[in-house]
Each structure stands twice: as structure tokens, then as C-alpha cells.
Amino acid sequence: MRISPLVTAVLVAAVIYVFVFQRDLIINLGKTDAITDEVSTSQVPTPQITDTPSVSVVVLASRAQNVDSAVNVRGETRAARQVSLRAETSGSVISKPLRKGSFVTTGQPMCEIDPGTRGASLAETKARLAESRARVPEAEARVIEAQARLAEALINDRAAEKLSQGGFASEARVASATAAAQTARAGVAAAKSGLQSTVAGIQSAEAAVASAEKEISRLVIHSSFDGILESDTAELGSLLQPGGLCATVIQLDTIKLVGFVPEIAINHVQMGALASARLINGLNVHGEVTFISRSADKSTRTFQVEVTVPNADLKISDGQTADIKITAQGSLAHLLPGSSLTLNDAGTLGVRVLAAENIVQFMPVTLIRDTMQGVWVSGLPPQSNVIVVGQEFVTDGVHVTPTFTEAAQ
């Protein structure tokens, strides 16, 4: 058996052990040798390096542009008005039905209910009213008669009292005259009470007549506005009870676009702002904001916004999906590569810009919009030199060597 392969293997294993497991010892020995060499050459003067090499970065000379900060929301179309016409009284329908899809006008009869005995009740209440009014002259005459008797009784009472004082009338006569005056006063009060009762009877009869007329007016159900029948009117012969549905009418001209704006963007939406929308069928429409909710939805934290759109040709139906774009006041912003954004030690979003004498400075920004060309940010001066390459390798106050580039068109 040859011993040389075995010796070779042992030597190789020893070398590997030294370089792997005794690496720190070898490094320390190297440092000791370097220190020894430095001590030995300390008497030799070496050149002093005073300039620290600066970091090379790529800088974009950016100018602010006016950006349209439109608010995009997804919503749906809704009828401007919708009403369910319901009966206020009971009875059988005696009018022919109108079919759904028909155009109706304001005040057009939708359903007519059988009047039954309501006409006779109205005539009876009117007769009672006339009778009550006829009693007024009689009641007034009784008041006048009672007042005349009271005046006569008062004269007789005063005369009897004067005669009694002169000794020409007995006390019985004076008492009788006083009693007659009191009776006359009671008669006046009774006459006035009768007159008030007659007036109250007139008012009661007038109320009964008004109630009967109102009941008759409820027999015909009219359309509240111009619109389209969304359902058939009640069928001929059907019985309607109070609250029973006669018909449903919707108004589509104009029509509303209803969307829900996130709370972060609601301040950009103003009353009267112009808006456009693209419907699911490809139709483009234009209108203006007519309503902004002041109360957020508790579950989604969004605010309802309504846009009114003309729809004279009725091409827009109720309930269509719409992508709504609401214009907002433009603002100055910079278009930068998305990779240029960074965070400082406090976690604030911003960019690093080139300040005076090629010194790096961090500036916070606000993200406005993310596009295919880059991100629009605000918060920078109108003209800024933004570091777009190498910003992650420098910090505030560091001197850099810039290479300028132009923005992509």
C-alpha cells in the first residue's frame, strides 16, 4: 500500500481547515504584518487626500404643469322623479286601464273609482249648511228682541227706585222691577248663545261639505307630473282600498347620475361643476353636479353625489351603469417617474432634490394621480431638480455629482 495519497489527503484537509475554521487568526496575522509594515515605513512621508469622492446621480429638471384633478367614480342612472299613485279611498275602478310605457301628462286621470252614495252625502251636507245659514236671521232677531226688553226693564227699574225714594212706590214694586231687569239680562244671554250655536252649526255644516267634496275628489287619481307609466294602471272592476296601488310613474327627462365619492376626494367636488359620463352601452352624456351629500355612508365612508343630465330623447333608462368624471379645479404638479419616490426616516413620502452647490435635500410630496407616463405629485417648487437615479444611496446634506436628463415627452 502506497502512503503518498494518504499523506496528500491529510495535507489538503489541513489546509482547508486552516482557511475555513482559522480564518480570523489568519486575518489578525495579516493585520499584525500590516501594522509592522506601517511602523517600519512611518518615517516615509505619504500624500494627504483632502477631497472625498462624491456620488454620481441622475437629475431630472422638472417644471410644474397645470393638471386637471378630475374625480372619477362609478355610479348608475336614476329617474329624476318616481311616484307610486295610490288610492285614498275605497271603491271599484270604473276607468279603463292605461298600459305601461304610455306617456302621461301632469293632471291626467290614471284611475277613477265608483262614487257610490258619495254624491247623495254631499247633497245632504249642503242642505244642512243651507238650513244652518237660514237660522242666522232668526237668532239675530232674538238677540235684538232680548236687548230691547232689557232696556225697557232697566228703565222701569230706575223709575221704581226713584219713586220708592220719594215714598210713591212700594218696596214690592221696586223688587218686581229689579227682577224683570234680571230676567231681561238672562234673555239677552240666551239669545246670544242661540246665535253662537247657529254660527257653530254653520261651521259644522261647512266642514261636512268640505269633507264630502274632498272624498269625491279622491275618486279620480291624477298623474303628479309628466312621465312614463312604469306599470299598468289598476284594472277595470278591481277593488281599491286606501293605500292600494293605482300606477307607478317615472320621469326620465331630466335624469340623474348617482355616484359615491371617497372622503379623500369629496373636497374636490363643487356644486355646479361640469361632469361627463360614459354609460355601459357606450353613450357619452354631459351634465352638472346638483347634489352633494353632507353625510357619509356609515359602511363605505363615501358621499353621494348627483349629476343632472338632459334626456329629452329618453335614450337613457333608469338603472344603467355609468362611469362618471367630475371636473375639479386644476393644480400645479410635477410628472415624475414612480421610482423617484422615496421615504425619509420618519416614513414621509417624498423625493430628493438637488439644492444649491449640488447638495441633496429631501422634500415631501403629495401623490395626485398615477398614470402610465409616471406619477403626478404636488408640493414641489414650480421648477425643481429631482434626483431620479441614485436617490436611495444619498441622504440630506450629501454632495453629489449630477447628470441631468430631460423628461420623456
Side-chain angles (χ1 to χ4, degrees), residues 86-96 109-118 215-221 234-246:
R86 299 183 180 275
E88 297 181 82
T89 187
S90 60
S92 299
V93 178
I94 59 175
S95 59
K96 293 183 179 180
M110 297 287 100
C111 299
E112 185 177 354
I113 299 175
D114 183 11
T117 60
R118 293 179 177 86
E215 181 68 14
I216 290 178
S217 69
R218 293 170 176 167
L219 296 175
V220 181
I221 304 173
E235 188 61 52
L236 176 66
S238 60
L239 177 63
L240 287 181
Q241 298 289 347
L245 180 63
C246 167

Side-chain angles (χ1 to χ4, degrees), residues 19-358:
F19 278 96
V20 173
F21 295 98
Q22 302 297 326
R23 182 178 179 183
D24 294 339
L25 179 60
I26 296 175
I27 293 174
N28 292 333
L29 291 175
K31 289 182 179 180
T32 303
D33 294 339
I35 292 172
T36 304
D37 294 339
E38 183 178 355
V39 172
S40 62
T41 59
S42 59
Q43 303 301 324
V44 181
T46 58
Q48 298 295 325
I49 301 176
T50 57
D51 294 334
T52 302
S54 61
V55 180
S56 297
V57 295
V58 178
V59 178
L60 173 65
S62 176
R63 296 196 177 197
Q65 305 176 44
N66 191 11
V67 180
D68 178 18
S69 55
V71 178
N72 297 312
V73 296
R74 193 166 182 86
E76 63 178 0
T77 60
R78 289 186 188 176
R81 288 193 290 180
Q82 178 172 337
V83 62
S84 297
L85 302 175
R86 299 183 180 275
E88 297 181 82
T89 187
S90 60
S92 299
V93 178
I94 59 175
S95 59
K96 293 183 179 180
L98 299 176
R99 298 306 176 189
K100 56 186 176 183
S102 303
F103 292 90
V104 295
T105 57
T106 303
Q108 179 178 343
M110 297 287 100
C111 299
E112 185 177 354
I113 299 175
D114 183 11
T117 60
R118 293 179 177 86
S121 299
L122 176 61
E124 180 181 0
T125 55
K126 286 184 176 180
R128 291 179 180 175
L129 175 60
E131 181 181 1
S132 298
R133 288 174 176 171
R135 292 176 179 172
V136 173
E138 179 182 359
E140 291 176 344
R142 290 178 180 175
V143 172
I144 295 173
E145 180 183 1
Q147 289 175 343
R149 290 179 179 175
L150 175 60
E152 180 183 3
L154 290 175
I155 293 172
N156 292 333
D157 184 35
R158 287 194 294 270
E161 186 176 355
K162 289 182 179 180
L163 291 174
S164 175
Q165 293 175 355
F168 299 101
S170 62
E171 293 181 359
R173 182 178 177 181
V174 173
S176 177
T178 302
Q182 295 295 336
T183 303
R185 287 191 181 92
V188 170
K192 289 182 178 180
S193 176
L195 178 59
Q196 292 176 351
S197 177
T198 302
V199 172
I202 294 175
Q203 294 175 346
S204 176
E206 289 175 343
V209 170
S211 177
E213 290 176 344
K214 183 64 177 178
E215 181 68 14
I216 290 178
S217 69
R218 293 170 176 167
L219 296 175
V220 181
I221 304 173
H222 302 274
S223 174
S224 305
F225 48 81
D226 296 346
I228 302 174
L229 278 177
E230 188 68 10
S231 63
D232 293 342
T233 60
E235 188 61 52
L236 176 66
S238 60
L239 177 63
L240 287 181
Q241 298 289 347
L245 180 63
C246 167
T248 300
V249 182
I250 61 174
Q251 180 182 354
L252 297 179
D253 182 26
T254 57
I255 200 166
K256 295 185 296 184
L257 306 177
V258 181
F260 293 88
V261 179
E263 57 184 340
I264 193 174
I266 191 62
N267 290 335
H268 297 293
V269 181
Q270 303 294 330
M271 288 291 294
L274 298 179
S276 61
R278 182 176 180 84
L279 304 184
I280 193 67
N281 58 5
L283 182 64
N284 293 314
V285 295
H286 303 274
E288 64 178 30
V289 177
T290 55
F291 172 76
I292 302 174
S293 175
R294 298 300 176 184
S295 176
D297 185 271
K298 293 183 179 179
S299 58
T300 62
R301 309 307 304 171
T302 56
F303 293 81
Q304 180 175 330
V305 175
E306 294 181 2
V307 178
T308 300
V309 174
N311 188 31
D313 53 5
L314 303 182
K315 288 185 178 180
I316 308 174
S317 301
D318 181 25
Q320 289 183 277
T321 303
D323 291 323
I324 307 170
K325 183 177 181 180
I326 304 173
T327 60
Q329 184 177 3
S331 59
L332 290 177
H334 291 261
L335 178 61
L336 304 175
S339 59
S340 64
L341 298 178
T342 185
L343 299 174
N344 63 2
D345 295 338
T348 304
L349 180 67
V351 295
R352 289 190 170 93
V353 299
L354 194 65
E357 300 181 0
N358 295 340

